[in-house]
PDB file of all heavy atoms in Angstrom:
ATOM      1  N   ALA A 419     144.221 134.123  77.180  1.00 80.00           N
ATOM      2  CA  ALA A 419     144.965 135.279  76.673  1.00 80.00           C
ATOM      3  C   ALA A 419     146.330 135.396  77.359  1.00 80.00           C
ATOM      4  O   ALA A 419     147.345 135.658  76.706  1.00 80.00           O
ATOM      5  CB  ALA A 419     144.155 136.550  76.887  1.00 80.00           C
ATOM      6  N   LYS A 420     146.357 135.174  78.675  1.00 87.00           N
ATOM      7  CA  LYS A 420     147.636 135.241  79.404  1.00 87.00           C
ATOM      8  C   LYS A 420     148.564 134.119  78.976  1.00 87.00           C
ATOM      9  O   LYS A 420     149.769 134.324  78.785  1.00 87.00           O
ATOM     10  CB  LYS A 420     147.382 135.172  80.904  1.00 87.00           C
ATOM     11  CG  LYS A 420     146.704 136.403  81.489  1.00 87.00           C
ATOM     12  CD  LYS A 420     146.474 136.247  82.975  1.00 87.00           C
ATOM     13  CE  LYS A 420     145.777 137.473  83.547  1.00 87.00           C
ATOM     14  NZ  LYS A 420     145.514 137.330  85.005  1.00 87.00           N
ATOM     15  N   LEU A 421     147.998 132.929  78.841  1.00 88.00           N
ATOM     16  CA  LEU A 421     148.801 131.779  78.416  1.00 88.00           C
ATOM     17  C   LEU A 421     149.386 132.018  77.029  1.00 88.00           C
ATOM     18  O   LEU A 421     150.557 131.692  76.765  1.00 88.00           O
ATOM     19  CB  LEU A 421     147.938 130.521  78.429  1.00 88.00           C
ATOM     20  CG  LEU A 421     148.640 129.201  78.101  1.00 88.00           C
ATOM     21  CD1 LEU A 421     149.744 128.927  79.108  1.00 88.00           C
ATOM     22  CD2 LEU A 421     147.621 128.061  78.116  1.00 88.00           C
ATOM     23  N   ASP A 422     148.601 132.608  76.142  1.00 88.00           N
ATOM     24  CA  ASP A 422     149.073 132.915  74.794  1.00 88.00           C
ATOM     25  C   ASP A 422     150.223 133.915  74.836  1.00 88.00           C
ATOM     26  O   ASP A 422     151.205 133.773  74.100  1.00 88.00           O
ATOM     27  CB  ASP A 422     147.921 133.466  73.959  1.00 88.00           C
ATOM     28  CG  ASP A 422     148.323 133.712  72.512  1.00 88.00           C
ATOM     29  OD1 ASP A 422     148.776 132.766  71.848  1.00 88.00           O
ATOM     30  OD2 ASP A 422     148.192 134.861  72.052  1.00 88.00           O
ATOM     31  N   ASP A 423     150.125 134.927  75.706  1.00 89.00           N
ATOM     32  CA  ASP A 423     151.198 135.915  75.836  1.00 89.00           C
ATOM     33  C   ASP A 423     152.480 135.264  76.362  1.00 89.00           C
ATOM     34  O   ASP A 423     153.581 135.567  75.880  1.00 89.00           O
ATOM     35  CB  ASP A 423     150.777 137.050  76.767  1.00 89.00           C
ATOM     36  CG  ASP A 423     149.828 138.026  76.091  1.00 89.00           C
ATOM     37  OD1 ASP A 423     149.749 138.019  74.847  1.00 89.00           O
ATOM     38  OD2 ASP A 423     149.171 138.807  76.802  1.00 89.00           O
ATOM     39  N   PHE A 424     152.347 134.388  77.361  1.00 93.00           N
ATOM     40  CA  PHE A 424     153.523 133.699  77.891  1.00 93.00           C
ATOM     41  C   PHE A 424     154.177 132.836  76.815  1.00 93.00           C
ATOM     42  O   PHE A 424     155.411 132.795  76.688  1.00 93.00           O
ATOM     43  CB  PHE A 424     153.150 132.838  79.097  1.00 93.00           C
ATOM     44  CG  PHE A 424     152.936 133.607  80.366  1.00 93.00           C
ATOM     45  CD1 PHE A 424     151.780 133.441  81.104  1.00 93.00           C
ATOM     46  CD2 PHE A 424     153.906 134.487  80.839  1.00 93.00           C
ATOM     47  CE1 PHE A 424     151.573 134.154  82.280  1.00 93.00           C
ATOM     48  CE2 PHE A 424     153.709 135.203  82.008  1.00 93.00           C
ATOM     49  CZ  PHE A 424     152.544 135.040  82.737  1.00 93.00           C
ATOM     50  N   ALA A 425     153.346 132.130  76.049  1.00 94.00           N
ATOM     51  CA  ALA A 425     153.872 131.284  74.980  1.00 94.00           C
ATOM     52  C   ALA A 425     154.572 132.131  73.921  1.00 94.00           C
ATOM     53  O   ALA A 425     155.654 131.776  73.436  1.00 94.00           O
ATOM     54  CB  ALA A 425     152.741 130.473  74.360  1.00 94.00           C
ATOM     55  N   ASP A 426     153.945 133.261  73.546  1.00 94.00           N
ATOM     56  CA  ASP A 426     154.548 134.140  72.546  1.00 94.00           C
ATOM     57  C   ASP A 426     155.892 134.683  73.022  1.00 94.00           C
ATOM     58  O   ASP A 426     156.857 134.751  72.252  1.00 94.00           O
ATOM     59  CB  ASP A 426     153.604 135.304  72.233  1.00 94.00           C
ATOM     60  CG  ASP A 426     152.401 134.876  71.412  1.00 94.00           C
ATOM     61  OD1 ASP A 426     152.377 133.711  70.951  1.00 94.00           O
ATOM     62  OD2 ASP A 426     151.481 135.680  71.234  1.00 94.00           O
ATOM     63  N   PHE A 427     155.947 135.082  74.279  1.00 95.00           N
ATOM     64  CA  PHE A 427     157.213 135.622  74.801  1.00 95.00           C
ATOM     65  C   PHE A 427     158.302 134.556  74.813  1.00 95.00           C
ATOM     66  O   PHE A 427     159.462 134.829  74.490  1.00 95.00           O
ATOM     67  CB  PHE A 427     157.016 136.180  76.209  1.00 95.00           C
ATOM     68  CG  PHE A 427     158.259 136.805  76.779  1.00 95.00           C
ATOM     69  CD1 PHE A 427     158.734 138.020  76.293  1.00 95.00           C
ATOM     70  CD2 PHE A 427     158.968 136.169  77.783  1.00 95.00           C
ATOM     71  CE1 PHE A 427     159.891 138.588  76.804  1.00 95.00           C
ATOM     72  CE2 PHE A 427     160.128 136.738  78.304  1.00 95.00           C
ATOM     73  CZ  PHE A 427     160.592 137.956  77.807  1.00 95.00           C
ATOM     74  N   THR A 428     157.916 133.322  75.158  1.00 96.00           N
ATOM     75  CA  THR A 428     158.899 132.235  75.185  1.00 96.00           C
ATOM     76  C   THR A 428     159.423 131.912  73.793  1.00 96.00           C
ATOM     77  O   THR A 428     160.646 131.848  73.574  1.00 96.00           O
ATOM     78  CB  THR A 428     158.264 130.970  75.800  1.00 96.00           C
ATOM     79  OG1 THR A 428     157.793 131.263  77.118  1.00 96.00           O
ATOM     80  CG2 THR A 428     159.273 129.834  75.865  1.00 96.00           C
ATOM     81  N   THR A 429     158.497 131.711  72.840  1.00 97.00           N
ATOM     82  CA  THR A 429     158.894 131.264  71.502  1.00 97.00           C
ATOM     83  C   THR A 429     159.397 132.412  70.634  1.00 97.00           C
ATOM     84  O   THR A 429     160.445 132.291  69.980  1.00 97.00           O
ATOM     85  CB  THR A 429     157.711 130.575  70.801  1.00 97.00           C
ATOM     86  OG1 THR A 429     157.239 129.502  71.624  1.00 97.00           O
ATOM     87  CG2 THR A 429     158.113 130.031  69.439  1.00 97.00           C
ATOM     88  N   PHE A 430     158.648 133.512  70.611  1.00 96.00           N
ATOM     89  CA  PHE A 430     158.961 134.603  69.682  1.00 96.00           C
ATOM     90  C   PHE A 430     159.808 135.695  70.315  1.00 96.00           C
ATOM     91  O   PHE A 430     160.205 136.638  69.626  1.00 96.00           O
ATOM     92  CB  PHE A 430     157.660 135.183  69.131  1.00 96.00           C
ATOM     93  CG  PHE A 430     156.738 134.124  68.582  1.00 96.00           C
ATOM     94  CD1 PHE A 430     155.420 134.029  69.003  1.00 96.00           C
ATOM     95  CD2 PHE A 430     157.193 133.193  67.667  1.00 96.00           C
ATOM     96  CE1 PHE A 430     154.572 133.049  68.525  1.00 96.00           C
ATOM     97  CE2 PHE A 430     156.371 132.201  67.178  1.00 96.00           C
ATOM     98  CZ  PHE A 430     155.045 132.127  67.609  1.00 96.00           C
ATOM     99  N   GLY A 431     160.061 135.568  71.610  1.00 95.00           N
ATOM    100  CA  GLY A 431     160.956 136.491  72.291  1.00 95.00           C
ATOM    101  C   GLY A 431     162.296 135.841  72.590  1.00 95.00           C
ATOM    102  O   GLY A 431     163.274 136.009  71.867  1.00 95.00           O
TER     103      GLY A 431
END
Side-chain angles (χ1 to χ4, degrees):
K420 291 179 181 179
L421 184 61
D422 184 57
D423 283 343
F424 283 128
D426 287 352
F427 183 72
T428 302
T429 304
F430 309 127

